[in-house]
Amino acid sequence: MPLMPAKPEYPHDHAQCSSDALAEAQRICARRGVRLTETRQKVLELIWGDHAAVKAYDLLEQLSGPGRSVRPPTIYRALEFLLENGLIHRIESLNAYVGCPQPGGQHSSQFLICDTCSIVIELTGADVARAVADEATSHGFEITRQTIEVHGLCGPCAARHAEGAPAP
Ligand SMILES: [Zn+2]
Ligand SMILES: [Zn+2]
Ligand SMILES: [Zn+2]
């Protein structure tokens, strides 16, 4: 069952949104017979802290506390696992990660990325991917990976910008 999250840029019950995402991740891992270890789950939770892209460095800082230091390879292995199982996406232009609202399957998506608040909106409409694939075919080009990342301002940031108010 695909998750149907509220549009991230609008106010919504994010506690519900992130707990749904974590429950879905548990189900996917159980179905695949892979283990969502404590560290993996913690990393996923932090990524689902909101809809903004998170850098590995920030995850490292948030996971390390007084008397607890987490080493970078631990984080990278957890991220690798979450990527492999389709639970998160890597935003290449930011070198950061976001939770996938329709996790567990292979899909090519497009990302709208706000340059002010880093919110990432995932579009899963197949039309864009198909249009690119068709163009590629007409050039005799074989696609191995499609990454479409679109930068700009999200709705609320654009509205604030229009009012001339400073960004948060
Ligand atoms: Zn949310
Ligand atoms: Zn996705
Ligand atoms: Zn924004």
Side-chain angles (χ1 to χ4, degrees), residues 66-148:
R68 177 181 158 86
S69 86
V70 177
R71 289 169 35 74
T74 308
I75 301 285
Y76 283 106
R77 274 197 302 268
L79 289 169
E80 202 49 50
F81 172 88
L82 298 173
L83 285 167
E84 267 169 23
N85 287 285
L87 302 173
I88 61 171
H89 292 292
R90 180 163 178 269
I91 303 300
E92 309 214 353
S93 56
L94 298 179
N95 190 17
Y97 302 86
V98 282
C100 173
Q102 298 186 346
Q106 284 294 328
H107 50 252
S108 46
S109 14
Q110 303 83 41
F111 300 98
L112 304 180
I113 302 156
C114 178
D115 286 326
T116 298
C117 70
S118 296
I119 214 171
V120 176
I121 300 166
E122 181 174 346
L123 308 178
T124 46
D127 293 353
V128 178
R130 203 174 307 121
V132 173
D134 288 350
E135 285 288 323
T137 305
S138 78
H139 290 276
F141 186 92
E142 205 172 296
I143 294 178
T144 48
R145 194 162 60 96
Q146 241 195 65
T147 304
I148 298 178

Side-chain angles (χ1 to χ4, degrees), residues 5-6 8 12-15 17-18 48 50-51:
H12 65 282
D13 184 355
H14 185 67
C17 172
S18 77
W48 271 104
D50 59 28
H51 292 274

Side-chain angles (χ1 to χ4, degrees), residues 18 22 38 40-50:
S18 77
L22 290 168
E38 201 187 321
R40 291 165 176 172
Q41 169 151 345
K42 190 78 198 133
V43 168
L44 186 61
E45 253 178 70
L46 289 172
I47 291 174
W48 271 104
D50 59 28

